Amino acid sequence: MVDALGNWVDAFSATELVDVRVFVQGQRRIAVFRVGDEVLAIDDRCPHEGYPLSKGFVNGCVLTCRWHSFRFDLRSGKRLVGDEPVRSYPVRMMGTMIQLDLAEPDAKSMRARYSASLYGALERRRAGQMARDVVRLIDAGATPFDVAMIAVRFDAERSPYGTSHVPALAFDVLARLDGIRARHGAEGEVAALVQVLDLAAEASLS
C-alpha cells in the first residue's frame, strides 16, 4: 500500500522483524533493523563496495560492515569509519505494519554529494569509486559534459603545471561519445569518462 503522497510503502509486519530483515522493491534493497524499541532502516548496500550491510554487526545504533569494517550510525546513515555515508530511510508504524518512506532526495543536492565523492576519488585515484560516482551523477541528472568538466576543473586546480592533457582528452571523448554509446552502451560511456577522470587523477600526482 502507498499513501496519498506516494512516499510511504508497507514493508512488513512488525512481528516479522526480529533483529534485521531486508525489504526489496525493484532495484532497492533496504536493511531494516530492530534496535531496542526503535526500528531503523538504511540502504543494504555498503557504499564502499556494495556488500550487504544486513550481514553486519550491530552494537547499539552502530553498524559495522562485515567485509571491511566500515561503520555507520543506523539512525542517520552517517559514516563513523569509511569514505561516505549510507542512505537512511524514515520509518513509521501504521498499526502493526512497518512503513518506509521511499521518496527520492532532491536531485540537485544528490549531484552535489556525488560530485564531492568524485573529488575524493580523484584525490586518491580510486577508479572503482570514480566509475560508481559517474553512474550516480548521470542517474541524478548530470550530463557527460558535467562529469568531464569535473575532471577538467580538478586538473586545472591540482596539476603541477596548471593543466595537463585532460582538457584535450575530455574534448575528444565528448566528441565521440555518441559513437561509443552506440557500440558499447552505457557501460562504454562510463568507461570513457572514467579514462578522462583517471588522467586528471594521475596528472595531479605527478
PDB file of all heavy atoms in Angstrom, residues 1 6 31-33 75 114 127 132 138 159 184 200:
ATOM      1  N   MET A   1       0.832  -1.187   0.000  1.00  0.00           N
ATOM      2  CA  MET A   1       0.000   0.000   0.000  1.00  0.00           C
ATOM      3  C   MET A   1       0.875   1.248   0.000  1.00  0.00           C
ATOM      4  O   MET A   1       1.858   1.337   0.719  1.00  0.00           O
ATOM      5  CB  MET A   1      -0.867   0.007   1.252  1.00  0.00           C
ATOM      6  CG  MET A   1      -1.715   1.246   1.424  1.00  0.00           C
ATOM      7  SD  MET A   1      -2.607   1.127   2.993  1.00  0.00           S
ATOM      8  CE  MET A   1      -2.273   2.735   3.634  1.00  0.00           C
ATOM      9  N   GLY A   6       2.372   9.077  -2.044  1.00  0.00           N
ATOM     10  CA  GLY A   6       3.194   8.166  -2.829  1.00  0.00           C
ATOM     11  C   GLY A   6       4.572   7.946  -2.275  1.00  0.00           C
ATOM     12  O   GLY A   6       5.468   7.485  -2.986  1.00  0.00           O
ATOM     13  N   ALA A  31      17.870  -2.476   4.378  1.00  0.00           N
ATOM     14  CA  ALA A  31      18.042  -3.271   5.591  1.00  0.00           C
ATOM     15  C   ALA A  31      17.292  -2.587   6.732  1.00  0.00           C
ATOM     16  O   ALA A  31      17.555  -1.423   7.040  1.00  0.00           O
ATOM     17  CB  ALA A  31      19.524  -3.407   5.931  1.00  0.00           C
ATOM     18  N   VAL A  32      16.354  -3.307   7.343  1.00  0.00           N
ATOM     19  CA  VAL A  32      15.538  -2.765   8.429  1.00  0.00           C
ATOM     20  C   VAL A  32      15.950  -3.473   9.720  1.00  0.00           C
ATOM     21  O   VAL A  32      15.909  -4.712   9.799  1.00  0.00           O
ATOM     22  CB  VAL A  32      14.043  -2.966   8.146  1.00  0.00           C
ATOM     23  CG1 VAL A  32      13.196  -2.321   9.247  1.00  0.00           C
ATOM     24  CG2 VAL A  32      13.665  -2.379   6.778  1.00  0.00           C
ATOM     25  N   PHE A  33      16.340  -2.696  10.714  1.00  0.00           N
ATOM     26  CA  PHE A  33      16.870  -3.236  11.966  1.00  0.00           C
ATOM     27  C   PHE A  33      15.932  -2.905  13.128  1.00  0.00           C
ATOM     28  O   PHE A  33      15.371  -1.808  13.187  1.00  0.00           O
ATOM     29  CB  PHE A  33      18.245  -2.634  12.281  1.00  0.00           C
ATOM     30  CG  PHE A  33      19.314  -2.971  11.288  1.00  0.00           C
ATOM     31  CD1 PHE A  33      19.466  -2.224  10.132  1.00  0.00           C
ATOM     32  CD2 PHE A  33      20.173  -4.039  11.509  1.00  0.00           C
ATOM     33  CE1 PHE A  33      20.465  -2.522   9.207  1.00  0.00           C
ATOM     34  CE2 PHE A  33      21.175  -4.352  10.598  1.00  0.00           C
ATOM     35  CZ  PHE A  33      21.321  -3.598   9.444  1.00  0.00           C
ATOM     36  N   ARG A  75      20.865   5.473  12.858  1.00  0.00           N
ATOM     37  CA  ARG A  75      19.791   6.473  12.918  1.00  0.00           C
ATOM     38  C   ARG A  75      19.857   7.453  11.743  1.00  0.00           C
ATOM     39  O   ARG A  75      18.836   7.879  11.235  1.00  0.00           O
ATOM     40  CB  ARG A  75      19.866   7.241  14.237  1.00  0.00           C
ATOM     41  CG  ARG A  75      19.457   6.430  15.465  1.00  0.00           C
ATOM     42  CD  ARG A  75      19.223   7.361  16.651  1.00  0.00           C
ATOM     43  NE  ARG A  75      18.751   6.618  17.804  1.00  0.00           N
ATOM     44  CZ  ARG A  75      19.504   6.287  18.842  1.00  0.00           C
ATOM     45  NH1 ARG A  75      20.787   6.617  18.849  1.00  0.00           N
ATOM     46  NH2 ARG A  75      18.997   5.627  19.864  1.00  0.00           N
ATOM     47  N   TYR A 114      27.437  13.616  -4.818  1.00  0.00           N
ATOM     48  CA  TYR A 114      28.220  12.698  -5.645  1.00  0.00           C
ATOM     49  C   TYR A 114      29.438  13.400  -6.253  1.00  0.00           C
ATOM     50  O   TYR A 114      30.485  12.771  -6.451  1.00  0.00           O
ATOM     51  CB  TYR A 114      27.341  12.107  -6.751  1.00  0.00           C
ATOM     52  CG  TYR A 114      26.180  11.298  -6.240  1.00  0.00           C
ATOM     53  CD1 TYR A 114      24.973  11.244  -6.942  1.00  0.00           C
ATOM     54  CD2 TYR A 114      26.261  10.589  -5.046  1.00  0.00           C
ATOM     55  CE1 TYR A 114      23.909  10.500  -6.470  1.00  0.00           C
ATOM     56  CE2 TYR A 114      25.193   9.852  -4.564  1.00  0.00           C
ATOM     57  CZ  TYR A 114      24.018   9.811  -5.278  1.00  0.00           C
ATOM     58  OH  TYR A 114      22.951   9.084  -4.811  1.00  0.00           O
ATOM     59  N   ALA A 127      39.724   4.262  -9.100  1.00  0.00           N
ATOM     60  CA  ALA A 127      38.964   4.123 -10.338  1.00  0.00           C
ATOM     61  C   ALA A 127      37.570   3.536 -10.097  1.00  0.00           C
ATOM     62  O   ALA A 127      36.593   3.949 -10.739  1.00  0.00           O
ATOM     63  CB  ALA A 127      39.730   3.267 -11.335  1.00  0.00           C
ATOM     64  N   ARG A 132      31.617   4.429 -10.051  1.00  0.00           N
ATOM     65  CA  ARG A 132      30.351   4.431  -9.328  1.00  0.00           C
ATOM     66  C   ARG A 132      29.765   5.839  -9.257  1.00  0.00           C
ATOM     67  O   ARG A 132      28.566   6.047  -9.456  1.00  0.00           O
ATOM     68  CB  ARG A 132      30.557   3.875  -7.925  1.00  0.00           C
ATOM     69  CG  ARG A 132      29.270   3.754  -7.112  1.00  0.00           C
ATOM     70  CD  ARG A 132      29.578   3.265  -5.715  1.00  0.00           C
ATOM     71  NE  ARG A 132      30.390   4.240  -5.009  1.00  0.00           N
ATOM     72  CZ  ARG A 132      31.175   3.946  -3.988  1.00  0.00           C
ATOM     73  NH1 ARG A 132      31.307   2.704  -3.579  1.00  0.00           N
ATOM     74  NH2 ARG A 132      31.863   4.894  -3.380  1.00  0.00           N
ATOM     75  N   ILE A 138      25.089  10.637 -13.313  1.00  0.00           N
ATOM     76  CA  ILE A 138      24.226  10.595 -14.503  1.00  0.00           C
ATOM     77  C   ILE A 138      22.807  10.204 -14.115  1.00  0.00           C
ATOM     78  O   ILE A 138      21.829  10.781 -14.613  1.00  0.00           O
ATOM     79  CB  ILE A 138      24.825   9.638 -15.558  1.00  0.00           C
ATOM     80  CG1 ILE A 138      26.109  10.261 -16.134  1.00  0.00           C
ATOM     81  CG2 ILE A 138      23.820   9.354 -16.672  1.00  0.00           C
ATOM     82  CD1 ILE A 138      26.885   9.363 -17.062  1.00  0.00           C
ATOM     83  N   SER A 159      46.953  20.084 -11.121  1.00  0.00           N
ATOM     84  CA  SER A 159      48.115  19.732 -11.945  1.00  0.00           C
ATOM     85  C   SER A 159      49.288  20.650 -11.614  1.00  0.00           C
ATOM     86  O   SER A 159      49.122  21.866 -11.509  1.00  0.00           O
ATOM     87  CB  SER A 159      47.772  19.861 -13.432  1.00  0.00           C
ATOM     88  OG  SER A 159      48.920  19.600 -14.222  1.00  0.00           O
ATOM     89  N   HIS A 184      29.010   0.455 -27.495  1.00  0.00           N
ATOM     90  CA  HIS A 184      29.272  -0.216 -26.214  1.00  0.00           C
ATOM     91  C   HIS A 184      28.222   0.058 -25.140  1.00  0.00           C
ATOM     92  O   HIS A 184      28.358  -0.442 -24.018  1.00  0.00           O
ATOM     93  CB  HIS A 184      30.645   0.198 -25.687  1.00  0.00           C
ATOM     94  CG  HIS A 184      31.763  -0.057 -26.658  1.00  0.00           C
ATOM     95  ND1 HIS A 184      32.178  -1.330 -27.000  1.00  0.00           N
ATOM     96  CD2 HIS A 184      32.523   0.802 -27.385  1.00  0.00           C
ATOM     97  CE1 HIS A 184      33.166  -1.246 -27.877  1.00  0.00           C
ATOM     98  NE2 HIS A 184      33.397   0.028 -28.134  1.00  0.00           N
ATOM     99  N   ALA A 200      43.165  12.851 -15.027  1.00  0.00           N
ATOM    100  CA  ALA A 200      43.248  14.013 -14.130  1.00  0.00           C
ATOM    101  C   ALA A 200      43.851  13.603 -12.799  1.00  0.00           C
ATOM    102  O   ALA A 200      44.685  14.330 -12.225  1.00  0.00           O
ATOM    103  CB  ALA A 200      41.858  14.609 -13.929  1.00  0.00           C
TER     104      ALA A 200
END
